[in-house]
Amino acid sequence: MILLIFGLIVLVDIIGGSFSLRLISTILENQIGSRALKVSQTVALIPQIREDLEKADLANSRIQQIAERIRIETGAQFVVVGDRQGRRYSHPVPDRLGKFMVGGDNEMALVHGQSYVSKATGTLGPSIRGKVPVFSDAGEIIGIVSVGYLLENIDTIIRGYHIKILSVLTAVILFGIPEEKDALGRG
């Protein structure tokens, strides 16, 4: 009977723990995606960003300075602003300015004018990104903003929560192990 109860405790622990771990991972990824999208939407509305994209003069653009300041303040790994063709006006690695964005996930913003969250691999690695089109005053798509958080950093945060949950689950199992004298009724 004792082994049956202990087995039940372990089974419930494993099922509950697995569900909790997956739930926390999903919630954190959704929250980070939402944060990336909100930052992207804010950047896309900055008048200087819109003006410089309309001028199409990368050499005299203020976009890099604005985007880097926002990247540092928000803790994002990147705030990339690109023109209608996806050519970068900002990037945390200045050597990549003027080169085209990678990841293959710009079409919904640049062609269809939609805002969204995606997972893709860019020059900095796999990331969760918020993608938003930049519109001119006339309502035409003139560029894109992509704000992202690297998956390796997100996985580190998630691992921290997993360790806490696994510690609690281990404690539950250990407390569920009956002491031998209690099991035999010899208090």
Side-chain angles (χ1 to χ4, degrees), residues 22-34:
R22 269 183 273 172
L23 182 63
I24 286 175
S25 297
T26 301
I27 289 170
L28 282 172
E29 284 188 11
N30 287 340
Q31 287 296 317
I32 289 169
S34 178

Side-chain angles (χ1 to χ4, degrees), residues 42-161:
T42 302
V43 172
L45 294 174
I46 296 173
Q48 294 89 352
I49 300 280
R50 294 168 63 197
E51 289 170 18
D52 285 6
L53 284 172
E54 285 181 321
K55 288 178 188 173
D57 183 6
L58 181 61
N60 295 309
S61 174
R62 301 166 285 183
I63 294 175
Q64 174 70 3
Q65 292 79 23
I66 295 168
E68 276 301 288
R69 193 168 48 232
I70 292 169
R71 182 186 69 79
I72 292 166
E73 288 295 320
T74 61
Q77 271 72 49
F78 59 86
V79 175
V80 176
V81 177
D83 63 13
R84 181 84 170 103
Q85 290 73 42
R87 187 176 12 266
R88 296 183 189 114
Y89 275 61
S90 69
H91 195 280
V93 180
D95 291 345
R96 297 184 181 153
L97 294 176
K99 296 180 180 164
F100 291 95
M101 298 168 78
V102 298
D105 57 345
N106 289 340
E107 182 177 337
M108 285 175 51
L110 288 174
V111 176
H112 304 291
Q114 297 176 351
S115 300
Y116 53 96
V117 175
S118 74
K119 272 188 186 180
T121 301
T123 58
L124 298 175
S127 60
I128 294 178
R129 317 145 166 232
K131 299 271 189 171
V132 175
V134 180
F135 293 99
S136 69
D137 290 335
E140 297 173 358
I141 299 170
I142 57 172
I144 184 171
V145 177
S146 178
V147 173
Y149 297 88
L150 296 179
L151 286 178
E152 70 181 47
N153 295 346
I154 296 167
D155 289 343
T156 300
I157 295 168
I158 290 171
R159 253 191 311 279
Y161 285 105

